[in-house]
Amino acid sequence: MASALRVLGIDPGLTRCGVGVVDVRRDRSASLVHVGVVRSGVDLPIEQRLAVIAAGIRDVISTHAPDVVAVERVFAQHNRSTVMGTAQASGIALMLAGEHGLPAATHTPSEVKAAITGYGSADKLQVQTMVARVLRLDALPQPADAADALALALCHAWRRGPSAGAGTEALTPAQRAWADAERVARR
């Protein structure tokens, strides 16, 4: 599938880290390559938990050879220990992308929900339902961490435009405006 962009989506978490790989073609149609969850035991020391997460992500990268990695952007939560674990797992995912020479991007949960459902405040079931429809799955992807990883991968591919190598002429007006806004924000 040479004309497809292969995206690894990662929903970072210290206990459950969702991973999903999709191939997205120029026409924005997509197919499932892999979905799963990397789990680390809550009884393990933090360094071992992070090592388990890293090993799981490395395995997915080596097995499925993605073109790009999309990771959920960490946002403030009321539970400090949850946000710390999420941030640590996110850092591991971004580091592994760098080690493998893969471009990486982060997307907020509301960006992902808006890209997948058209509504930035969609609930988990709405996201799972749309991911299942887009990927033509017989059942909703489970658990929610796995569905979120697939949604991240789809969001990233769709927001980049019809294909990885496409110039801005292949983007829709909305995609061009978004890309311009992102360029300005990076300055």
Side-chain angles (χ1 to χ4, degrees), residues 2-7 24-26 67-68 103 157 160-167:
S3 65
L5 177 67
R6 181 163 284 185
V7 184
V24 181
R25 290 167 286 289
R26 292 178 186 269
D67 299 311
V68 63
R160 282 181 51 113
S163 70

